[in-house]
Structures are given as structure tokens and as C-alpha cells.
Amino acid sequence: MDLLKTITHQSSSNHKMCEQGRSKSCELKKKKNEEQTHAMASETSRIISDPSTGKCYCRGRVLGKGGFAKCYEMTDLETNKVYAAKIIPHSRVAKPHQREKIEREIELHKTLQHKHVVQFYHHFEDQENIYILLEFCSRRSMAHVLKVRKVLTEPEVRYYLRQIISALKYLHEREILHRDLKLGNFFINEGMELKVGDFGLAAKLEPLENRRRTICGTPNYLSPEVLNKQGHGCESDVWALGCVMYTMLLGRPPFETTNLKETYRCIREARYTMPSSLSSSSKHLIAYMLSKNPQDRPTLDELVQHDFFAQGFTPERLPSSCCHTAPDFHLSSPAKNFFKKAAAALFGGKKEKVKYLDGHHKLSKDDDEIFRLRRDLKRTSISQQTLRQRTDEDCTVMGKASTASVVKHSGLAKEDSRQMKDTIRMIVRGTLGSCSSSSECLEDSTMGNVADTVARVLRGCLENMPEVDCMPKEQLNDAFQWVTKWVDYSNKYGFGYQLSDHTVGVLFNNGTHMSLLPDKKTVHYYAELGQCSIYSTTEAPEHLIGQVTILKYFAHYMEENLMDGGDLPSIMDTSKPRLYLLQWLKSDQALLMLFNDGTFQVNFYHDHTKIIVCNQNEEYLLTYINEDRLSTTFRLTTLLMSGCSVELKNRMEYALNMLLQRCN
Ligand code: ADP
């Protein structure tokens, strides 16, 4: 309208311009009408129906533009399932060879089914377009991730490459070459899983002599043999993967394209710069994949066995925050925020609680001793109820005042407290066999009864503690051992961890355990529970040298790559039996580590909170490390009498659930 006004105003001052202005205003009106008609048309074309099935879809937002296609979010109106739909106007593929290309892509893609390949669901056409319905990858592609992140960390690169390699192995086994592996063709779904997509340039692998010498289309990462028109083989996909790895780690491709001629020369000679900032294993692997001669490149199997993968940590999952922020792989945190939702579900409570109660029920039904303890406890349950009521009142009145202090000031509570303490001893202290010290337990216990005992202790506490939502005041300052770092490398060697006194332990996949003491010279080797052999690192028997090397490697890795998590100065006594890991267990929320003396630690991934329960001087202590890394230690008896915050209680319940799971 303003523009029209301007034109009219100009027209009054100049006739010629008036003519021009008038015709311009007519054009504008026409354009406006056209736009309105178009908008109406496109509104109706938001509902798309498949003429062959009658199924209706709603076209949503644009996801991106490709060579022939525009990609949209598209929802099946019957099932509400969301797809990524490539919509290709017939006019764009009018020429026979274009149409053939699309048809080839469809025919090839629809035969594929793999966890790391974008799933092809359906295709149809109407009068205007061809529609291809694909698995929707809500986090777009690796190109988008890298644009924001600039570079990725090595563990992330391992995470993504492993998934690409697994997809590629699937394709190559079917004699399908992708021929255009690039960041923009690696799609990421809601759960941060990678899916290889875009089969526009894919082709069947042909014997060397029958290979087509040219590709119609331009792959992003051309290999020397493709440039030299020798045809594309599996090795050419591996070359592209080398370029992908380089780009992920350094934020730029190995062969830049400002001067095409020079770039092609560099590709033909496999000449590129390798910054010293890269780790030696990644440098080696890139160079291996970017070998000039295709025969010198690794096969996909050789790739995953390379040191870059075999000797480095690969996260099992990545948090979605990795789309914009480098992850923090220190300590127990493979994925800082990833589990928040899941944890909310957990600590909100229903599903996991049911699980907990199930296990709970099983144990109590099977276990006479627990039954006896329960019966004994019943005697104190009335007075406990009284205490609980008083505690609730006092807590409300006194805000965060601890129940322990309430107990102190109440005659009745004092009586209850004494009575309860006796019972608690029975539950809490009761059943670590006949051992009076952790060293005796070494010889005495089996893994099952160590776990059963701590499960029983924890359960006794949880079952009987008053329901308050505040922490007891009575806190301790006892020093104890806990796991400050850990690495799960069980896909190859085992599970490694560092204790707060700098001892490094590895529970090997073969079931043996080795500790490297803080002097870095003494090794404790357990072939079985309680059977300790002591060696110096330099004089280990021949058959253990390999394991000692791996142990030292774990120690080195944790030293170099993982953040310190509150290690204490170490006090060395190399001969004393020490803490060593009996078993570890991971759930999607937390890691449980159970030690020989009944100490156990549960690390919650999503918020870094931890629970450590240990037995010291015949008493069970529980340490809670909260989200702010503040640590508080309580006697379990104190928790049993006074209760604790819901935050801690939920975690204790979860820890118990894990212990019970491991028993099952
Ligand atoms: P090209 O082959 O030129 O990369 P595509 O047609 O494969 O084009 O994709 C175009 C764009 O559409 C992509 O860059 C991406 O942003 C989006 N896209 C394609 N496939 C999917 C998918 N499965 N999920 C989400 N977005 C997708």
C-alpha cells in the first residue's frame, strides 16, 4: 500500500513516471491476487492424499532443500506418525534420465533396513509430485551439528563413526556403494542416533572391469580413483569416511575447494595437512583411510579394530546437548543432561517403583531372615510411628531442623531411639557373615552374599525410616574410599576405575581383577575372590604381562582424560588387602559398583549425584554427593531413625533396586 502511494505521488510530478507508476501499480495488484490464489492453493495442498491407498497426510514445515526435492515434515493423519517427506515436482524430473535416477533411488532405498540407515517407508505420486516418506530425523544432519560445534571431541567422533561404519558394512555386504558419504547425509534422530541417508548416488558394486568410470552427480569427497575415472569401489567409500573423520575433528575438509584444480591435484596425490593437535591414533587412522592407493586403505573390519577405536572411550549414547555444546566426559558423566527426562520419570516415581517393589517382594518372600527381622521390627513399629509423627511436626515447625536433634530433646524419643538402635544394629550390622573386619570378609564371603547383605541392610533402612523430607543434622567426617573416575571399556578389555587414594583397578572381561597401587609399581592380582597375588609391575609373571600393560593403559587414560573427582592423598600400605571391585552394573540411569568388603557406590549419570555405602568400624555409613558435589556422610542408623530428604531416599531406593537386579 505504501509503495502504491509512493508511486502515485511520483506520478503527479512527471507524466512519464505516471505511466510507469500506473502500470507498476497494476502489476502489484495482479501479483497480490496471484499470491493470494497461490496461498489458498498451497493451503489446500497441505493435505495430501495417496491416490493408491486413499491415506491422507498433512504437510508440515520445510526441513530442507535438495537437488530435486524439497523435504517436509509430513504427518499421517490416521496414525499421527511423522515422516520426513521428499516431495519432487514432476516438472523437476521431466527428462527420462532424471526420472530414472529417482526411480533407481527409490528401488534401492526401499530394500534397505538397518538401525543406522534412514528407513524408507513408502512412496506414491499424485498429479503434481512424487512423494517419498522417510524416517524423520528431528535433529537434522551432522552438517548442522558441525556448523554449530565447529569441531567434535574424539569420543563423539568414535560414537558417530561406529554407527556410520555399521551402516556401511550393511550396505557393502549387500554390494551397495553409497558413493556420497558426507556430513549432510548423516541424519540424527531425536535419540541422537545417526542414520545414513540420501541414496541418490548409490549404486551396485560392479567388478573392477565393469565399473562405470563416471558418476552422474558430484560426490562431496571425491577419491583419487574416482577422479582418475577408475571407478568407485568400497575403498572409495572408505576414502570419503577418512574425509568425514578429518572434518569432524578439525572443522574443515582435508581438501579445500577454493581452487578446484589445485584441490584435484591434492586429492590425486593424497596430499593434505595433518595438524599436530590431533592424537597420534587419529592421525594414523586418517592417513590409513586417505591412502592414495585404494588397496592400501583399511577394510571396515580393520577400521573398528584400529587403535583409535580400540584404545579410546566410545560413549554408548550422547546427550542432545552435543548438538550445540561439547560434552563433558569426566568422571561418571558420559551424558550430563541426557537422562534428565528419564530421571524425572524415575524420581517422579511410578514405573521404577513398581520394579523396585517387585524385586523387593521377591527377596522378602524368599528370605526367612528378612522375615524374622521384619517380625522383630514390628515390636518397635508403634513407637516408631510415634516418632515419625513427632518428627513430622517438628520438621514443619523447625524448618530444616534435623530429626536427630529432635530425638535428643525428647524423653519419649530417646527411649524410642535406644530401642530402635538395637533393632537397627541387627538390620544394619547383622549379617556380614561372621567377619568383624573387611579383611576377614575377603576370605569369607562370596559375591552373592556380599550383595545380598548390603541389599538387606539398605532395604531394612528404607523400609523403616520415617517419611520426612529433610536431612539429619548428625553428619560425619570420616574418610573412606570411593570411585573418583571410571571407564567402561568392556567391549574390549574390561571396566577400569580409580579410587580416591589413586589406586587404579580393572575388572577384566575374563573375570580377574588387577589393581595398580598408588606407588604405580605394585600390582595386586585376584584370579578369584579373596585370592590376592602381589607383584611388582616389572616382575609380573609372563602370562600376566598383557593385563599389566592394559592396567597401566587404563591408569594413564584416566590420568590424562578424566577430571579429578576429589582424590585424597594416598597412604601406602602395599601389603594390606584392599578394596577391589567385585561387580559392576549399569542401568540407563546409573552405574553400580560393588566391592569386596560390601562397599558399593551408585553414580547417577544425569545429575552426577552419587551414593556410597561402606562399612567402617562395624557400622554402615552412607555418603551422598549431591548435584553441587557437596558430600555428606551419615550413619545408616541415623538415616533409619531420622529419615532423609526425598532426593536421597529416591536414590537409595534406586540403588537398592539395582542391587536386587544384580542378585536376580
Ligand atoms: P540432498 O540430496 O541435496 O542432500 P535431500 O533431499 O536428501 O537433499 O535432503 C534435503 C534436506 O532435507 C536435508 O539437507 C535435510 O535438512 C532434510 N532431510 C532429508 N532427509 C531427512 C530426514 N530423513 N529427516 C529429517 N530431515 C531430512
Side-chain angles (χ1 to χ4, degrees):
M1 209 40 211
D2 283 347
L3 186 61
L4 273 172
K5 257 189 209 154
T6 323
I7 295 166
T8 321
H9 174 75
Q10 280 173 345
S11 70
S12 59
S13 59
N14 179 312
H15 182 69
K16 226 174 175 185
M17 273 176 78
C18 173
E19 286 293 324
Q20 280 176 355
R22 212 167 276 151
S23 69
K24 267 193 186 164
S25 87
C26 286
E27 255 172 47
L28 276 170
K29 270 186 195 157
K30 204 173 141 202
K31 207 167 165 204
K32 227 174 166 185
N33 282 341
E34 271 172 12
E35 270 168 14
Q36 272 170 358
T37 325
H38 186 74
M40 273 165 64
S42 74
E43 194 50 41
T44 48
S45 65
R46 275 169 57 93
I47 304 296
I48 293 160
S49 76
D50 173 354
S52 57
T53 62
K55 252 177 174 294
C56 285
Y57 301 90
C58 177
R59 201 195 66 202
R61 70 189 163 110
V62 177
L63 297 171
K65 263 186 186 172
F68 293 129
K70 222 174 178 176
C71 193
Y72 292 87
E73 219 178 271
M74 204 150 104
T75 311
D76 180 330
L77 288 174
E78 201 178 298
T79 61
N80 276 335
K81 189 173 164 70
V82 178
Y83 298 95
K86 278 190 179 189
I87 304 185
I88 308 149
H90 288 300
S91 57
R92 300 269 308 152
V93 287
K95 295 193 179 126
H97 76 272
Q98 292 171 327
R99 175 92 199 180
E100 268 167 33
K101 187 174 180 289
I102 290 296
E103 279 169 3
R104 241 196 343 263
E105 180 178 343
I106 293 172
E107 285 315 303
L108 191 143
H109 197 169
K110 79 181 189 195
T111 62
L112 305 176
Q113 187 161 28
H114 185 268
K115 189 167 184 263
H116 294 296
V117 171
V118 171
Q119 186 60 46
F120 182 103
Y121 285 104
H122 183 51
H123 78 105
F124 62 91
E125 46 189 283
D126 59 18
Q127 283 196 325
E128 280 99 51
N129 305 304
I130 301 170
Y131 303 85
I132 303 175
L133 303 194
L134 302 171
E135 175 178 4
F136 173 53
C137 298
S138 60
R139 299 191 190 279
R140 306 168 80 189
S141 77
M142 287 300 302
H144 297 99
V145 172
L146 209 74
K147 198 167 166 201
V148 179
R149 288 283 309 279
K150 311 293 183 229
V151 290
L152 302 181
T153 61
E154 275 197 16
E156 286 173 285
V157 173
R158 276 189 282 273
Y159 170 86
Y160 292 121
L161 284 184
R162 275 184 192 279
Q163 301 186 14
I164 302 169
I165 293 167
S166 124
L168 212 51
K169 222 170 138 39
Y170 169 82
L171 295 173
H172 287 186
E173 272 162 14
R174 275 160 188 71
E175 303 199 316
I176 294 168
L177 304 170
H178 187 283
R179 305 204 302 182
D180 196 15
L181 296 173
K182 60 174 181 183
L183 295 166
N185 286 339
F186 303 141
F187 297 96
I188 309 289
N189 74 3
E190 190 63 19
M192 292 298 284
E193 289 168 316
L194 183 147
K195 312 272 172 168
V196 175
D198 193 351
F199 291 86
L201 292 186
K204 269 285 205 202
L205 175 69
E206 300 287 348
L208 204 57
E209 60 282 6
N210 295 354
R211 272 181 205 169
R212 279 172 173 243
R213 305 285 166 220
T214 51
I215 297 180
C216 56
T218 320
N220 215 258
Y221 296 126
L222 281 165
S223 59
E225 64 277 13
V226 173
L227 261 182
N228 291 335
K229 301 201 166 44
Q230 289 156 342
H232 192 117
C234 292
E235 306 83 4
S236 322
D237 276 350
V238 171
W239 167 278
L241 209 54
C243 297
V244 163
M245 177 174 170
Y246 186 102
T247 312
M248 283 176 169
L249 287 169
L250 293 162
R252 61 183 163 82
F255 308 98
E256 297 266 18
T257 56
T258 43
N259 174 347
L260 209 58
K261 225 172 151 189
E262 179 57 20
T263 301
Y264 285 175
R265 189 176 311 137
C266 288
I267 294 174
R268 284 199 174 94
E269 292 167 15
R271 181 158 48 85
Y272 55 94
T273 56
M274 189 80 100
S276 56
S277 59
L278 289 179
S279 70
S280 56
S281 65
S282 55
K283 274 192 245 179
H284 183 269
L285 184 56
I286 290 169
Y288 197 8
M289 287 196 269
L290 296 184
S291 300
K292 193 164 107 182
N293 180 354
Q295 260 61 58
D296 294 341
R297 292 175 209 149
T299 62
L300 295 175
D301 286 331
E302 282 165 348
L303 258 176
V304 284
Q305 280 161 19
H306 189 273
D307 275 0
F308 175 75
F309 289 104
Q311 298 199 355
F313 158 68
T314 309
E316 267 174 46
R317 298 175 199 190
L318 282 186
S320 58
S321 59
C322 288
C323 292
H324 50 80
T325 316
D328 166 13
F329 288 115
H330 75 283
L331 281 179
S332 59
S333 166
K336 199 172 174 184
N337 294 315
F338 181 69
F339 298 97
K340 272 216 163 121
K341 261 194 218 155
L346 161 69
F347 297 128
K350 279 182 195 154
K351 214 163 140 203
E352 289 299 326
K353 188 117 179 178
V354 170
K355 233 168 143 194
Y356 155 67
L357 289 172
D358 280 345
H360 196 262
H361 182 61
K362 212 181 236 168
L363 190 81
S364 55
K365 229 167 60 184
D366 295 342
D367 202 319
D368 283 354
E369 195 179 349
I370 292 290
F371 183 76
R372 239 185 22 247
L373 284 170
R374 265 218 189 126
R375 195 193 50 205
D376 290 346
L377 264 171
K378 267 196 183 149
R379 261 186 263 140
T380 56
S381 66
I382 298 165
S383 42
Q384 215 182 334
Q385 188 62 39
T386 322
L387 176 71
R388 201 169 294 166
Q389 276 164 7
R390 291 193 62 85
T391 319
D392 285 348
E393 280 164 26
D394 284 296
C395 258
T396 339
V397 177
M398 296 164 69
K400 289 212 161 185
S402 86
T403 47
S405 63
V406 174
V407 169
K408 251 185 218 160
H409 299 297
S410 150
L412 175 70
K414 217 180 212 167
E415 180 55 28
D416 285 341
S417 141
R418 202 176 327 116
Q419 209 177 346
M420 272 179 45
K421 243 182 182 161
D422 290 341
T423 320
I424 296 151
R425 284 243 163 81
M426 215 155 50
I427 311 164
V428 174
R429 231 189 86 212
T431 44
L432 250 184
S434 55
C435 27
S436 55
S437 73
S438 54
S439 56
E440 271 178 50
C441 288
L442 280 182
E443 269 69 50
D444 205 287
S445 47
T446 64
M447 195 186 300
N449 77 32
V450 171
D452 284 354
T453 304
V454 285
R456 210 171 291 151
V457 165
L458 190 59
R459 215 200 69 190
C461 181
L462 276 165
E463 239 185 12
N464 295 288
M465 68 204 281
E467 281 185 21
V468 295
D469 188 7
C470 52
M471 288 294 212
K473 252 207 181 119
E474 192 194 292
Q475 296 170 3
L476 307 171
N477 291 316
D478 294 37
F480 58 93
Q481 289 275 61
W482 62 291
V483 174
T484 57
K485 304 175 181 185
W486 61 268
V487 184
D488 174 7
Y489 203 169
S490 55
N491 61 348
K492 194 136 176 99
Y493 302 118
F495 181 94
Y497 60 96
Q498 181 169 315
L499 293 172
S500 42
D501 72 347
H502 298 271
T503 298
V504 170
V506 176
L507 183 52
F508 288 94
N509 288 345
N510 66 6
T512 64
H513 186 285
M514 237 182 217
S515 302
L516 181 64
L517 270 48
D519 64 355
K520 304 275 177 247
K521 290 182 199 135
T522 314
V523 171
H524 283 189
Y525 174 69
Y526 294 88
E528 282 170 53
L529 191 78
Q531 308 254 315
C532 180
S533 318
I534 302 177
Y535 306 105
S536 100
T537 47
T538 49
E539 286 155 19
E542 184 115 11
H543 70 281
L544 293 180
I545 288 175
Q547 273 179 267
V548 171
T549 310
I550 296 168
L551 175 67
K552 287 203 282 192
Y553 168 71
F554 267 96
H556 179 75
Y557 181 84
M558 287 191 275
E559 189 68 41
E560 292 284 303
N561 295 294
L562 304 183
M563 224 170 79
D564 281 347
D567 305 70
L568 302 166
S570 59
I571 307 148
M572 277 292 299
D573 177 355
T574 55
S575 61
K576 221 175 97 192
R578 306 169 71 92
L579 206 61
Y580 63 93
L581 190 64
L582 286 190
Q583 200 178 31
W584 60 279
L585 181 76
K586 268 178 169 176
S587 74
D588 58 345
Q589 317 276 337
L591 163 74
L592 168 87
M593 291 165 283
L594 176 69
F595 290 85
N596 56 306
D597 69 346
T599 293
F600 74 91
Q601 177 168 336
V602 178
N603 289 13
F604 293 89
Y605 312 128
H606 72 285
D607 59 2
H608 298 268
T609 57
K610 294 169 188 71
I611 286 179
I612 303 127
V613 173
C614 66
N615 186 290
Q616 256 184 21
N617 305 323
E618 320 227 336
E619 222 173 355
Y620 276 96
L621 307 182
L622 182 145
T623 300
Y624 177 52
I625 301 177
N626 73 9
E627 225 168 326
D628 302 321
R629 296 176 189 241
L630 293 175
S631 136
T632 32
T633 302
F634 307 98
R635 285 191 184 91
L636 218 49
T637 50
T638 308
L639 293 177
L640 185 105
M641 281 188 301
S642 313
C644 63
S645 66
V646 172
E647 177 186 327
L648 174 57
K649 191 169 182 229
N650 284 336
R651 284 166 180 75
M652 286 166 69
E653 283 185 349
Y654 191 77
L656 173 59
N657 188 32
M658 286 189 85
L659 278 169
L660 295 174
Q661 297 282 319
R662 79 135 300 289
C663 296
N664 291 335

